[in-house]
Amino acid sequence: QGQLSILQEKIDHLERLLAENNEIISNIRDSVINLSESVKDGQKNPEAINFSQGSLSELFPSASVPLAVDSEDCLFASKSGSRGSGVQMLDVYDILPFDNPDGGVWKQGFDITYNENEWDSEPLQVFVVPHSHNDPGWLKTFDDYFRDQTQHILNNMVIKLQEDNRRKFIWSEISYFSKWWDGIDSQKKDAVKRLIKDGQFEIVTGGWVMPDEASPHYFALIDQLIEGHQWLERNLGVKPKSGWAVDPFGHSPTMAYLLKRTGFSNMLIQRVHYSVKKHFATQRTLEFFWRQNWDLGSSTDILCHMMPFYSYDVPHTCGPDPKICCQFDFKRLPGGRVSCPWRVPPEAIHAGNVQHRAWMILDQYRKKSKLFRTKVLLAPLGDDFRYAESSEWDQQYQNYQKLFDYMNAHPELHVKAQFGTLSDYFEALHKESNFGEKSSSSFFPILSGDFFTYADRDHHYWSGYFTSRPFYKRLDRVLESYLRAAEILYSLALVQSSKSYKMSVFPSVDNYKLLTEARRNLGLFQHHDAITGTSKDWVVVDYGTRLFHSLMNLKKVIVDSAHILILKDKGAYNYDTSTPFLKMDDVQSSQDSLPHKTVIKLTLQPRYLLIYNPMEQERFSVVSVNVNSPRVKLLSPSGKPVTVQISAVWDGATTVSHEAYQISFLAHLPPLGLGVYQLLEVPSSEASLADYNIYISGRNSVQEKPDRIFKIKEMQNSVDNIIIENSYMKLWFSGMSGLLEKINTKEDGKNHQMKMEFAWYGTTSNRDKSGAYLFLPDGDAK
C-alpha cells in the first residue's frame, strides 16, 4: 500500500513537471513568434529592434531572460503567461546600478523634453485630485489629531464641495471618518451621501487605516480592510473601487493581491526607491498590471499607477520641477504659515497673470505626461492634514478653477483640465488605453515582485522600522491571535446561548461590542506610523493602551464563551461578573509590562485546566503551566493519567524558585476543540524532573547546599564543548562562548559545522542618523 502511494505521488509529480514544461515551451513559442514579428518590423523600421545574436539560443535554457529592448519598452519573456511584456522586480534590482547622479531640477531623475505639437491630434486630459493625508496617530495621538485638524477638514469638505459641483475630493482613513460621522447631524450625513452619489466625493481604499505593508500579518491587513468596508456598507451603502497608498514605507504585492480580491481594478502607490522610479520613468512602465509571482494566468492582475517623484506633496506632484510646482500650492501664498523652500512664492491667479501661469503649469503637466503611455494625466493636490481651514479650500479651488477655465477656453493649448477623483482618472485611463486596436492588457506591461526596501534619497534605506519598538510589534501579534480565538468561541457560544431560556443571560451584546472595539484597535495599529514604531513616545503609549485594553476585553469574551460551551448541564449556567467562572493562564499588568504566568494553587481536589485549540486542524502541542507544588498529577479529558515533566522556574540565573514549578505535557485537541484537564496534588508524583548543568566562570560555587527537588550539577566553565542531544539530533556548543558549533542529524548520521557570531553596526557621523525609520550604519558590521 505504501509503495503504491509513493508511486502515485511520483506520477502526480511527473504530471506537474510535464504541465510546467508545456507552459515553458508555449512561452518560448510565443516569444519566438513575437521576435519574428519584431524582425519583420525591424526590416521595415531598422530602429525598432535591437537584440543580440545570442537572444534566441538563450531562450531555451531559461524562460525569463531579457528578449528585446527598444527605445520605448523593457521587454521580458516571463514565466507568467505570454500576455503583454513582463517585468520581474528581481531582474530590475539586478540591472540597476543604484547610483545617485544629480538629475537637474528633478534631482533624482532627468531632464524631460517634448515637442509642442504632440497633443495636436489628441489633447492632454488632466485630472487634479485634491486629497488630505490624515495619519491616525504620528506626532499627535489619534484623538488629538481628530480634535485639532481632521474634524475641521471633513466639516469644511461638506460645505465647500456643495459650493461648486465641479469640485472633487478623496478620503481614505475610515477610522477618522467613522468618528466624525458619529458626531454629525442627519442633514450633514445626507449631504455626504449626495456628494458621493454625484461623484464629487470618493472614498479610496476604505480601510480602517492606510496600513504599513511590511510589518503587519496578512490577517490584520484583511481585518482592517473588512472593518472599513463593512462600516461604509452599513452607513453609506458604498463600496470603494480604487486603492490609494501614498505614505506606506515601501509596497508589498500582498496588498495588491488583497485589493484585487476585494474587487478593486485599480491602485496607486508612491513610496518606491528613487532609482526604481527613475528606471520605470525612462521605460514608461510607471503604470503596469501587478501580478502575483505564483500566478501562471492573469487572475491576480490589478492596474497599478506609481507616482514618479519624491513625495505626494504639491511641489512633487504637478511635474518634475518642485520650484515651479510649489508656486501652485496656494496654501503657501505670502502671509500664510507655510512657504516655499525654493524661495519663489505662489501668486494668486487673476486676469493679468493667468496666461503666463497657465502656461507654466501646463509645461509641468506635459513634462510629467511624457513619463506615461497615455494622454491622461494624474496630478494629486494635497499633503498631510491639508484643507483644515475654510480659507485653504478657497485658495486652492478658486485659483485652480481660474487656471482650468483659461486652459479649457484656449483650444490651441490642446488640454482639458479639471478636478477629479481617483476613479475619474482611472476610468479615463481605461477608456484611453482600450482605444482602437490596443487592448489594455498588452498596452501596459505586467510586473511581478515587490518594492522593498524603500529609499527616498541618498542611502536612506527605510529598513530600521522593520524592528523598531519590537515590544509593541509582539503585542500586535498576541492581540491578533486572541481576537481570532475570541471571534470563533463567541460565535459558537452565541449558538449555544440561543438554545435555552437559562442561557439568555449570556452577555452577547456587550461581548460583541468588545470584539468590534478590539478589531478597530488592532486595525488602528496597522497604520504606517503605529506597528512600524515611527510615532512619538506618547503616541506609542496611546496605541499600547488601546491594544492592552482590548487584550483584557478579549480575555473576558473568551472566558464568558468558554464557560457556556464546557458546561455539561446547561441548566446550571449562571453568569456572574464579580466572580468569573474561569481565569486566564497569563496576566499582564499594564500596557508596557511583560506578561507573567498565573501560578495554579493545587489541592487534593482537582483544579480544572481548560485548553482551547483555535486552529481548524487537530493538534498535538506541548502545553506548559505553572503550579505551586511539584507533587502533581494530571488527568486527560477522558480521565487517564498524562505524562508530565516538571522544570524549575528560575529567580535570576542560578536560583531555583520554590514558589512555582513549570509542568509541561503533550495536549491533544480536535479542530476548534476544547479539552478539560484535571490537575491535583498527590502525596508522591510520578512526573519526570528536569536535570540541570550550570556553567560558572571562576571559582565561585553557587550552590551552598543541593536543591531539595532538582538535580543541579555545577560545571566549571571550560574550553570543552557543551553537548545536548535527543533521539533526533546532537548539538555541540562552545564552552567559551556558549554558541552553537556543530549539529549531528541522527537519521542520516551527518555532521553539520555551524558558525554563529554577534556583530554590531555603528551609526553614521553625519547629521542623518539611524533611528525609528532608517538603518544608516557607518560601514560594515564589526
Side-chain angles (χ1 to χ4, degrees), residues 83-210:
R83 195 184 104 168
S85 53
V87 179
Q88 173 47 258
M89 285 311 296
L90 289 174
D91 297 335
V92 174
Y93 292 132
D94 278 344
I95 59 172
L96 291 187
F98 290 100
D99 51 357
N100 191 9
D102 190 328
V105 291
W106 171 18
K107 288 281 169 236
Q108 299 163 322
F110 46 88
D111 280 331
I112 307 171
T113 55
Y114 63 85
N115 171 345
E116 293 276 341
N117 308 106
E118 285 187 42
W119 295 273
D120 288 2
S121 60
E122 196 187 335
L124 183 64
Q125 282 186 75
V126 180
F127 290 93
V128 171
V129 178
H131 68 98
S132 179
H133 179 65
N134 284 238
D135 290 303
W138 178 39
L139 307 176
K140 298 182 187 178
T141 64
F142 175 82
D143 287 334
D144 287 350
Y145 270 137
F146 181 79
R147 184 194 64 225
D148 299 346
Q149 282 133 299
T150 308
Q151 62 170 334
H152 306 302
I153 298 168
L154 291 166
N155 286 332
N156 281 320
M157 179 272 294
V158 183
I159 298 161
K160 291 295 174 183
L161 289 187
Q162 291 184 95
E163 286 178 7
D164 184 339
N165 64 9
R166 294 171 297 181
R167 295 180 176 181
K168 306 272 179 135
F169 196 65
I170 62 170
W171 187 268
S172 85
E173 300 81 8
I174 303 305
S175 49
Y176 276 132
F177 195 83
S178 62
K179 185 176 170 71
W180 172 70
W181 186 261
D182 291 343
I184 60 174
D185 58 34
S186 57
Q187 205 179 346
K188 259 192 186 148
K189 290 180 178 174
D190 291 341
V192 172
K193 289 176 182 169
R194 213 165 39 245
L195 290 167
I196 289 176
K197 191 167 156 289
D198 296 344
Q200 280 185 261
F201 178 55
E202 183 188 17
I203 301 284
V204 287
T205 313
W208 201 244
V209 295
M210 184 187 291

Side-chain angles (χ1 to χ4, degrees), residues 272 414 574 646 695 762:
V272 170
H414 301 290
N574 174 32
I646 302 179
Y695 286 79

Side-chain angles (χ1 to χ4, degrees), residues 648-658 694 702-703 707 712:
V649 172
W650 295 84
D651 288 339
T654 55
T655 319
V656 172
S657 161
H658 288 294
I694 296 187
V702 192
Q703 305 286 117
D707 188 82
I712 299 175

